[in-house]
Amino acid sequence: MRFIFKTDYGQDIKLAKHGGHIFWYSLLLLLLAAPWLFAEYWLAQLTFILIYAIAGLGLMLLAGFTGLFSLGHAAFLGVGAYTQAVMTNAGVPFPIALACAAGLSAAVGLVVGLPALRVKGIYLGIATLSFGFIVEEVFARWESVTGGNAGIHIKAPDMFGWKLGSGEAFYFLCLVIAIGATLGILNLLRSPTGRAFVAIRDSEISAQSMGIHLARYKTLSFALSAGLAGIAGALYAHKLQFISPDQFNILQSIDLLLMIVVGGLGSVHGAFLGAIFLISMPQAIAMVKDYLPAFIGQAPGLQGLVYGLVLIGFVLFEPLGLYGRWLKIRTYLQTFPFYRKGMFKRQKSFQKSDRLK
């Protein structure tokens, strides 16, 4: 006699997928309705979140999925911003100028990626940091093109005669580009190229033994990351309508790196969560200042202190960032009341030498 047990696992999977679709559709509807739901100030902050998320996606591809850290990523942001400003002021339509900004940033990233073929870790960080200082100095000295330290103004985006001067129109433009960049990154990570990036991050020796061309994929990762940063820089320039060299210094690069570390390295969600953190944290600090003692609230380096403490806290207690914390909360809710206390206990890993990585 044979017993056949019928289960509803398939139905549960369908319901889970359906619930996930409902969440994303609801989020999309909320973003589409944002100009009518939020005041002008909050809409501007949401626009900055989208812009930083695009730059975060590029840096996440480089650092989170390929394992190549950059301490000069603000330079690519600046290349895209100045390219967009110069071409827009010259009367070039927005799509063409944006494509040129992304292309030039990607070309510069390809050149900067060459040192990644021989150095890695802290040495690669120092190389990219030096590149950031060089680019910032070029922006300040090339006055005939960049305006020098006085900066340069930029016109509103011109879509072949259609001016995007209002905050609502520019928000929708950033939303479309952010969605396109996200879908592009997700599809790239599922392709052989994306899997090669992840293999290089996990172990260069193992990736090379499987036939992955390290030089090709490392430079490609730098180029794609720089291209996305260039797109974000172009949108950043249009949003501020004025750019200067001091906007693309080492502090901006550290903010971008802090954004993906706090958001969660190795996850597309982490780029958006990190962008929300980066934009909302200054407002939160400003609101708390009035309730702190004067010698603390009026200290000039309060924001940097808070950022440093937050970064140390995440590195020590939550290396997977905000997205990792959300995964643990979601797993706890899904397994409740069968949750085990040591389910998320961190395990130490030991490495004999970086040479064997």
Side-chain angles (χ1 to χ4, degrees), residues 133-144:
F133 285 129
I134 293 173
V135 171
E136 183 183 357
E137 194 67 20
V138 170
F139 290 157
R141 300 296 179 182
W142 200 2
E143 297 183 0
S144 60

Side-chain angles (χ1 to χ4, degrees), residues 44-60:
Q45 297 303 306
L46 187 56
T47 304
F48 277 117
I49 289 175
L50 294 174
I51 294 173
Y52 274 100
I54 296 172
L57 286 172
L59 189 55
M60 187 70 74

Side-chain angles (χ1 to χ4, degrees), residues 36-311:
W36 295 277
L37 297 177
F38 301 113
E40 183 178 356
Y41 172 79
W42 295 111
L43 185 64
Q45 297 303 306
L46 187 56
T47 304
F48 277 117
I49 289 175
L50 294 174
I51 294 173
Y52 274 100
I54 296 172
L57 286 172
L59 189 55
M60 187 70 74
L61 178 66
L62 181 68
F65 293 105
T66 315
L68 303 174
F69 284 90
S70 172
L71 290 177
H73 222 65
F76 304 123
L77 202 74
V79 171
Y82 274 102
T83 303
Q84 185 75 16
V86 171
M87 298 193 71
T88 300
N89 292 341
V92 178
F94 174 80
I96 299 177
L98 184 66
C100 292
L104 183 58
S105 297
V108 175
L110 191 66
V111 174
V112 177
L114 295 178
L117 306 181
R118 293 190 174 274
V119 297
K120 59 182 179 180
I122 187 63
Y123 304 104
L124 178 60
I126 294 174
T128 54
L129 178 64
S130 303
F131 167 74
F133 285 129
I134 293 173
V135 171
E136 183 183 357
E137 194 67 20
V138 170
F139 290 157
R141 300 296 179 182
W142 200 2
E143 297 183 0
S144 60
V145 175
T146 64
N149 290 317
I152 183 174
H153 291 271
I154 181 172
K155 301 178 181 177
D158 184 2
M159 302 280 286
F160 300 102
W162 178 34
K163 295 285 186 180
L164 300 178
S166 65
E168 293 80 4
F170 188 74
Y171 163 77
F172 282 119
L173 175 64
C174 294
L175 179 61
V176 170
I177 295 176
I179 293 175
T182 305
L183 295 177
I185 289 293
L186 290 175
N187 283 279
L188 176 66
L189 293 175
R190 290 187 298 178
S191 68
T193 301
R195 293 173 183 174
F197 289 158
V198 175
I200 292 173
R201 178 198 66 186
D202 293 340
S203 175
E204 292 187 7
I205 295 177
S206 300
Q208 194 171 19
S209 66
M210 291 187 295
I212 296 175
H213 197 288
L214 297 183
R216 180 187 306 164
Y217 284 104
K218 281 185 176 182
T219 53
L220 178 61
S221 179
F222 257 101
L224 293 176
S225 177
L228 283 174
I231 293 175
L235 298 175
Y236 182 79
H238 277 298
K239 182 59 181 174
L240 292 180
Q241 298 181 353
F242 174 82
I243 53 175
S244 60
D246 58 354
Q247 293 172 336
F248 309 104
N249 54 17
I250 178 61
L251 296 179
Q252 182 75 279
S253 297
I254 293 176
D255 283 345
L256 293 175
L257 192 58
L258 173 70
M259 177 176 67
I260 64 169
V261 172
V262 172
L265 277 174
S267 66
V268 175
H269 300 78
F272 289 89
L273 294 175
I276 294 173
F277 165 82
L278 192 65
I279 298 300
S280 61
M281 185 56 69
Q283 280 77 15
I285 294 175
M287 288 189 296
V288 176
K289 269 186 178 182
D290 297 334
Y291 301 96
L292 296 175
F295 71 93
I296 297 178
Q298 302 301 325
L302 179 61
Q303 182 172 328
L305 174 64
V306 173
Y307 277 15
L309 292 176
V310 170
L311 181 60

Side-chain angles (χ1 to χ4, degrees), residues 26-38:
S26 302
L27 179 60
L28 180 60
L29 288 176
L30 178 63
L31 291 175
L32 291 175
W36 295 277
L37 297 177
F38 301 113

Side-chain angles (χ1 to χ4, degrees), residues 12-26:
D12 291 341
I13 294 174
K14 289 181 180 179
L15 288 175
K17 289 184 177 179
H18 185 61
H21 291 162
I22 290 177
F23 170 77
W24 291 116
Y25 290 148
S26 302

